Amino acid sequence: MCYHYSLTKKQEQVMKLIAAEWELPYEPVYHANGFTFPTMPVITSQEPGTVQAYNWGLIPHWTASLADAQKLRAQTLNARNDTIFEKPAFRSYIPKRRCLVLADGFFEWMEYQKKKYPHYVQAQDEGLFGFAGIYSHWTEPETGELFRTFAIITTDANPLMARIHNTKQRMPVILPPAAWTEWLQPELPKERIQELLHPCPDAYLRAHTVDRSLGRPGADTNHEDTVKHVAYPELDSPEQFSLFHD
């Protein structure tokens, strides 16, 4: 799945790549942990010319209370491509309320000899990602506060990600820049939406291991060192080499 990602580029760098106005300024994020429900930049189908601030963890419009919303959003960080048209929490949003989640890397864990090793995954050119997402607007009944939230869509892992995320073998849907405008079109047919929800090519990505502090509760991981390479000699064993080079 995808519960951790980054947007390390400065706002000025992203603005050169995306012809859109920005609702609010933002600072680079080296580690967005979904379970803290961070506010992150997205572009929605309703306002494709604006980068807006939305909270990760989709709250469906039919949620009854804030207590229910707080319970539910930990389960709606991701939406599976194979059930997104069926699950009650997501099926209302995939037809017309799709969004691009801006990112330039994500984190996933490999399990090896009963230990977990975090990896940082980027584009080969370290360029910008457009994760496929869906979004919702929910108003808290008692206070009238508006919550703008999103979920990242996941798909089957490509070969590289299957070796890294070797327990669940999933990955986020990464849309090529040529598909960004199409993805945001509200009237996109269901058949075309499904065609876009596939894994990106292996050759598009590269990955390296990072420090285990990434998964440590309470650790400050929103800094540059989080995405730096950390070597684990045991992963250079002949057994591990064969997994990546067979």
Side-chain angles (χ1 to χ4, degrees):
M1 307 303 280
C2 181
Y3 299 134
H4 306 262
Y5 74 92
S6 69
L7 182 55
T8 66
K9 290 176 174 53
K10 295 181 179 179
Q11 185 170 355
E12 295 78 13
Q13 293 174 295
V14 180
M15 290 177 71
K16 291 179 181 179
L17 302 171
I18 295 181
E21 297 182 358
W22 285 71
E23 179 182 70
L24 293 172
Y26 94 100
E27 295 295 326
V29 177
Y30 291 93
H31 177 210
N33 179 347
F35 295 102
T36 64
F37 315 110
T39 301
M40 299 296 289
V42 305
I43 302 176
T44 70
S45 57
Q46 284 177 305
E47 296 191 49
T50 306
V51 180
Q52 298 178 278
Y54 275 62
N55 285 99
W56 193 4
L58 188 138
I59 302 174
H61 63 277
W62 42 255
T63 305
S65 68
L66 184 59
D68 290 339
Q70 290 171 336
K71 291 178 183 177
L72 184 61
R73 63 182 181 172
Q75 304 169 38
T76 56
L77 298 169
N78 292 167
R80 290 179 61 102
N81 67 318
D82 51 354
T83 58
I84 195 167
F85 282 94
E86 304 164 6
K87 294 285 187 179
F90 307 131
R91 64 191 180 195
S92 297
Y93 308 106
I94 184 62
K96 295 182 182 292
R97 294 209 168 191
R98 295 182 302 279
C99 63
L100 283 174
V101 180
L102 303 182
D104 59 9
F106 62 98
F107 301 90
E108 202 51 83
W109 278 255
M110 170 193 290
E111 188 170 307
Y112 178 62
Q113 294 185 344
K114 298 183 179 181
K115 293 182 180 180
K116 292 187 176 182
Y117 297 86
H119 288 63
Y120 183 56
V121 186
Q122 301 169 278
Q124 289 281 1
D125 64 359
E126 300 184 10
L128 192 69
F129 285 158
F131 292 148
I134 54 175
Y135 67 97
S136 169
H137 295 166
W138 176 72
T139 301
E140 204 278 308
E142 292 189 7
T143 65
E145 181 180 359
L146 176 66
F147 288 76
R148 303 189 303 182
T149 61
F150 71 93
I152 293 172
I153 303 173
T154 66
T155 185
D156 294 330
N158 64 21
L160 172 66
M161 288 308 303
R163 292 190 289 268
I164 293 173
H165 193 24
N166 55 359
T167 53
K168 295 185 178 179
Q169 299 192 339
R170 302 287 296 176
M171 68 179 294
V173 174
I174 300 171
L175 297 170
W180 290 0
T181 299
E182 182 182 20
W183 176 251
L184 296 177
Q185 292 177 2
E187 303 305 323
L188 199 63
K190 178 179 179 180
E191 294 75 18
R192 181 55 181 156
I193 294 171
Q194 291 173 319
E195 288 174 359
L196 290 170
L197 299 180
H198 58 72
C200 69
D202 235 27
Y204 182 66
L205 301 175
R206 68 181 188 183
H208 61 257
T209 46
V210 295
D211 193 86
R212 279 205 182 97
S213 63
L214 184 72
R216 193 175 301 148
D220 177 15
T221 54
N222 190 24
H223 52 75
E224 191 173 356
D225 288 345
T226 295
V227 300
K228 291 182 178 178
H229 177 237
V230 172
Y232 297 95
E234 60 269 35
L235 296 186
D236 293 328
S237 67
E239 179 185 349
Q240 271 300 99
F241 185 86
S242 67
L243 288 175
F244 279 83
H245 299 83
D246 55 11

